[in-house]
Amino acid sequence: MRALGITLRVLPILVLGLLLHYVLPQHDVVKVTSTEVIRTDFSSFNRIFYAQADSGATELTTRDLRLINTEKKKTFLLGFVPRDATGVMVYRNEDTGWIWPPYFKFDSSDLQAEAASAARTDGWAVITHYGWRVRWASIYPNAIAVRPVDGPDVRVIPWFNIFFFGFLIVAIVMLRKMWFQFRERALDPALDTAGDRMDEVSAGVAEKRSGVRKWLNTWRKKENRK
């Protein structure tokens, strides 16, 4: 039972952490090598990891998918500590539109042109994206923005994530205080009142049982006298 209780507490935190890691923006220092467009068939498994078709286009089970091929600067600790090694990384380039996650991206064509320009200059750039790269399921992170940088050693500070988690911590602390105040002012007095009423009812029932027993005892005494 204790293990089950720990699991029920940890599982929601784990699910929330994975969701935030997927939808929050991440920044990769890359060298764009090429861009391409491939024809993609979506399966029932990986369809949820893709955005909708471009704004104004018809949603189909198979469609063209823009890809941005790069050499990525490898990192430790979810991108906070850079490494000297590099590896390949492929990003998709899709409109998110008005759906989840709320990046409101409508300029995938322009972004593809920017990525192609970065590939011709052979310079380093920072790609802002969300999502995961899962090779065996053909899942790609979705690129949101591309901007050139001076070199591979540039340090990118995730300001949005810092402010988001700061706001989340403050909101959790405020909600916790509001809950304790609500419980102290409303729930605890109501529970105490309910407990007092239950005690009164129990005392009344016990008193009635005692009266019935006394009455039965008087009849037993009369029978014994006979």
Side-chain angles (χ1 to χ4, degrees):
M1 289 299 294
R2 184 178 180 182
L4 179 61
I6 294 175
T7 302
L8 293 177
R9 292 179 181 177
V10 173
L11 187 60
I13 298 176
L14 179 62
V15 172
L16 179 61
L18 290 174
L19 177 63
L20 293 178
H21 184 262
Y22 182 84
V23 301
L24 287 178
Q26 302 177 40
H27 308 279
D28 295 339
V29 179
V30 302
K31 180 182 289 185
V32 181
T33 57
S34 64
T35 60
E36 61 179 325
V37 180
I38 63 173
R39 196 68 177 176
T40 303
D41 296 317
F42 302 107
S43 67
S44 58
F45 172 76
N46 67 2
R47 182 65 186 87
I48 61 175
F49 294 97
Y50 285 86
Q52 65 181 12
D54 288 352
S55 301
T58 303
E59 183 68 35
L60 300 173
T61 57
T62 178
R63 59 179 167 85
D64 291 338
L65 181 66
R66 298 183 181 92
L67 296 180
I68 302 174
N69 304 316
T70 68
E71 292 181 2
K72 175 187 173 183
K73 185 77 174 179
K74 292 186 177 180
T75 58
F76 291 113
L77 298 176
L78 302 176
F80 288 99
V81 181
R83 294 170 55 185
D84 294 333
T86 59
V88 297
M89 175 60 71
V90 181
Y91 303 87
R92 60 188 165 96
N93 179 18
E94 294 184 289
D95 286 347
T96 60
W98 302 101
I99 64 173
W100 178 266
Y103 284 94
F104 309 114
K105 178 187 173 187
F106 298 94
D107 60 346
S108 58
S109 297
D110 297 339
L111 184 62
Q112 195 76 1
E114 294 176 8
S117 177
R120 288 193 298 269
T121 59
D122 196 31
W124 289 89
V126 173
I127 286 188
T128 302
H129 69 91
Y130 72 89
W132 303 323
R133 176 70 172 107
V134 183
R135 291 174 173 82
W136 58 268
S138 298
I139 297 172
Y140 307 92
N142 191 13
I144 302 300
V146 178
R147 62 180 178 89
V149 292
D150 295 333
D153 298 325
V154 64
R155 182 175 296 275
V156 182
I157 301 176
W159 290 111
F160 179 85
N161 293 347
I162 293 173
F163 286 118
F164 175 83
F165 282 108
F167 173 79
L168 184 63
I169 292 173
V170 171
I172 291 175
V173 172
M174 293 297 294
L175 289 174
R176 188 170 180 268
K177 289 184 177 179
M178 291 173 62
W179 165 251
F180 283 141
Q181 290 180 358
F182 174 75
R183 189 178 68 177
E184 181 180 356
R185 296 177 181 179
L187 291 182
D188 289 345
L191 292 176
D192 292 340
T193 302
D196 294 339
R197 291 179 179 176
M198 289 296 296
D199 292 339
E200 293 176 358
V201 171
S202 300
V205 171
E207 185 177 356
K208 290 181 179 179
R209 287 180 179 176
S210 177
V212 171
R213 288 175 182 173
K214 291 179 180 179
W215 180 73
L216 290 175
N217 289 334
T218 57
W219 281 97
R220 289 173 182 172
K221 291 179 179 179
K222 293 179 180 179
E223 290 179 356
N224 292 333
R225 290 175 183 175
K226 292 179 181 180

